[in-house]
Amino acid sequence: MHELGVVFHVIKTVEEVAKENQLTEIEAVTLQLGEVSGVIESYLQNCWKWAVEKKSEILKESALVVETIPAVTFCEDCEKTYGTVEHGKICPYCGSERTYLQQGNEFFIKEISGC
């Protein structure tokens, strides 16, 4: 389960931002998580709850908000996009395998709400 390592990285980053901005408490952290990023949201949420309670005073009461970025694949032959999860690597429009993931494997800290 690599989600715990991801959570520790997010906590460290958020604590640094909080210090730079003289925040004393973080109310929420919003992450953008790609649909095929390999991070399981339920594991992430469980790790977050444990880690902020045990490892971070400034994040102790903070919520983790996750926004999902849909996975989209681009076909180089017909130049159309389609849902990656539904269709995989083969283009549903022309049958080509000359495709690549355009979005959906991201992991970003979008917003930090604090005071």
Side-chain angles (χ1 to χ4, degrees), residues 1-3 6 33-41 43 104-107:
M1 176 167 57
H2 66 284
E3 284 78 5
V6 169
L33 181 63
E35 189 175 27
V36 293
S37 66
V39 177
I40 300 170
E41 183 181 350
Y43 293 175
N105 64 345
E106 301 88 349
F107 188 96

Side-chain angles (χ1 to χ4, degrees), residues 1-8 38-40 42-48 50:
M1 176 167 57
H2 66 284
E3 284 78 5
L4 187 57
V6 169
V7 164
F8 284 148
V39 177
I40 300 170
S42 62
Y43 293 175
L44 191 70
Q45 291 284 0
N46 288 337
C47 290
W48 180 264
W50 176 83

Side-chain angles (χ1 to χ4, degrees), residues 15-45:
E15 287 177 337
E16 289 170 2
V17 169
K19 185 177 180 181
E20 290 170 9
N21 291 280
Q22 299 173 339
L23 299 173
T24 57
E25 183 180 343
I26 302 298
E27 297 166 352
V29 176
T30 302
L31 301 179
Q32 290 184 314
L33 181 63
E35 189 175 27
V36 293
S37 66
V39 177
I40 300 170
E41 183 181 350
S42 62
Y43 293 175
L44 191 70
Q45 291 284 0

Side-chain angles (χ1 to χ4, degrees), residues 76-114:
E76 293 179 323
D77 288 339
C78 70
E79 299 184 351
K80 293 183 180 179
T81 60
Y82 62 89
T84 306
V85 173
E86 297 83 10
H87 301 286
K89 183 168 175 48
I90 298 173
C91 176
Y93 301 107
C94 71
S96 174
E97 291 186 27
R98 290 179 9 104
T99 62
Y100 63 86
L101 185 65
Q102 193 171 46
Q103 73 175 37
N105 64 345
E106 301 88 349
F107 188 96
F108 299 119
I109 299 173
K110 178 184 177 185
E111 185 175 21
I112 300 168
S113 303

